[in-house]
Amino acid sequence: MKQVIVITGASSGFGRLTANALARAGHIVYASMRHTTGRNAAAVADIEEFARDNNVDLRALELDVGSQASVDAAIAQIVAEEGRLDVVMHNAGHMVFGPAEAFTPEQLAELYDVNVLSTQRVNRAALPQLRKQGKGLVVWVSSSSSAGGTPPYLAPYFAAKAGMDAMAVIYARELTRWGIETSIIVPGAFTGGTNHFAHSGRPADQARVAEYEAGPYAGFGEEIMKAFAAIVPEDADASSVADAIVSVVDTPFGKRPFRVHIDPTQDGAEVAFGVIDRVRNEMLHRVGFSDLLKPRVKLDALPPRHCEER
């Protein structure tokens, strides 16, 4: 079934790859980003060209995840044009690299805003429509770092992604009775196919960085980058994340997986999350909230035959 989908941070990386793949799969896809008439004008032109060349319904959309007004306007535009919104994909994010001490508190706050608070802005704009429909899907692009290997010099980013993952888990339980599903996508380290590492931010306090470089951590950042590159298989393809998301979207309602791991480095997140999610689920069973683990189907959304059976 054709779905109306919005993806945040879709100018490049996982977001853009997924937008292309979902459009090719026959869905109506809004690839959202900020600065569509400025910095990202070239990305908008490329999206329009892709849509024409492939005869798909892929549309660039102005949406700044840092602005509630921008998010509200973007979601309102989608609903006005399509009459519905079926899938919300939280993908916008930013990475930073360097010794944790050298980042200012303001930098950490900004990173948390992009990776975590942005999802809250989008949810507050989009969820009323999904709840009104009594059906929908929220896709969160998490990170294997939330439960797997966590190399040094990525602490602010890892902390933000862990916060996003925690939000996703609780939101999932608060949305099932509205008929809204959740799927958390957990990519591992991909050093190619995305701009995460190439465009990662650096610490503002360069004097602190210099102290680390003059001490026992001299050259450590370069060592980490080389170590990352060494464990990522040559055939690791970032498009595999997009393919996994297409599979989730195309899976029938009520049968979509809660987590999907795409980790070429096998850093252990799948094992750890397997335990963590099971413990969380068991607690819900113990306190009598087992129904929160599966999305509720609205009776008036079912065909008459199913309504009679129930």
Side-chain angles (χ1 to χ4, degrees):
M1 179 180 175
K2 181 180 292 188
Q3 306 285 306
V4 177
I5 303 168
V6 62
I7 303 172
T8 63
S11 63
S12 63
F14 292 143
R16 178 60 195 281
L17 290 170
T18 304
N20 290 353
L22 285 167
R24 278 179 170 148
H27 301 292
I28 301 170
V29 183
Y30 285 82
S32 78
M33 65 198 75
R34 59 181 178 172
H35 306 314
T36 53
T37 59
R39 188 180 68 191
N40 283 321
V44 172
D46 190 60
I47 285 172
E48 293 172 348
E49 181 180 2
F50 181 90
R52 288 193 304 269
D53 292 347
N54 293 274
N55 193 29
V56 296
D57 201 339
L58 176 62
R59 315 173 193 182
L61 176 70
E62 175 69 30
L63 189 159
D64 180 357
V65 295
S67 164
Q68 188 67 61
S70 175
V71 173
D72 290 345
I75 298 301
Q77 178 182 333
I78 295 172
V79 175
E81 292 177 355
E82 304 301 327
R84 71 182 203 275
L85 175 59
D86 303 304
V87 182
V88 175
M89 177 174 158
H90 294 300
N91 170 74
H94 183 56
M95 176 185 284
V96 296
F97 184 83
E101 184 185 344
F103 289 94
T104 65
E106 291 75 17
Q107 282 187 290
L108 265 65
E110 181 181 4
L111 197 69
Y112 191 85
D113 189 285
V114 173
N115 288 280
V116 185
L117 299 187
S118 69
T119 67
Q120 181 70 352
R121 295 187 185 101
V122 174
N123 278 350
R124 283 179 56 79
L127 290 181
Q129 177 64 31
L130 270 62
R131 290 190 291 105
K132 178 182 176 182
Q133 295 167 180
K135 190 175 182 181
L137 169 65
V138 182
V139 177
W140 304 69
V141 180
S142 181
S143 167
S144 64
S145 65
S146 298
T150 50
Y153 278 31
L154 287 159
Y157 174 70
F158 287 165
K161 294 304 287 188
M164 178 195 186
D165 194 284
M167 285 276 285
V169 170
I170 301 305
Y171 252 116
R173 307 314 173 208
E174 295 180 1
L175 294 176
T176 51
R177 289 182 179 178
W178 293 102
I180 300 172
E181 286 185 281
T182 293
S183 282
I184 303 173
I185 310 301
V186 190
F190 285 87
T191 53
T194 74
N195 294 325
H196 262 340
F197 285 93
H199 293 171
S200 59
R202 292 295 187 267
D205 190 343
Q206 287 298 307
R208 297 288 176 99
V209 173
E211 291 176 14
Y212 273 74
E213 285 297 320
Y217 284 86
F220 190 59
E222 185 176 347
E223 291 177 16
I224 291 175
M225 296 299 285
K226 288 181 178 178
F228 256 107
I231 65 172
V232 178
E234 291 184 3
D235 61 351
D237 187 350
S239 65
S240 61
V241 176
D243 294 340
I245 294 171
V246 172
S247 179
V248 167
V249 171
D250 287 345
T251 297
F253 178 81
K255 296 183 179 180
R256 289 163 172 146
F258 182 65
R259 276 192 199 275
V260 178
H261 293 265
I262 312 97
D263 184 8
T265 66
Q266 297 294 302
D267 71 359
E270 187 167 4
V271 175
F273 268 128
V275 175
I276 293 169
D277 289 335
R278 187 182 73 242
V279 169
R280 291 167 172 167
N281 292 352
E282 288 175 352
M283 175 58 74
L284 290 176
H285 284 296
R286 285 177 59 193
V287 297
F289 292 139
S290 300
D291 73 295
L292 300 183
L293 298 175
K294 289 292 182 181
R296 178 179 295 177
V297 179
K298 284 182 64 177
L299 291 180
D300 58 5
L302 291 171
R305 181 175 62 85
H306 291 98
C307 290
E308 291 172 3
E309 290 175 354
R310 293 188 62 174

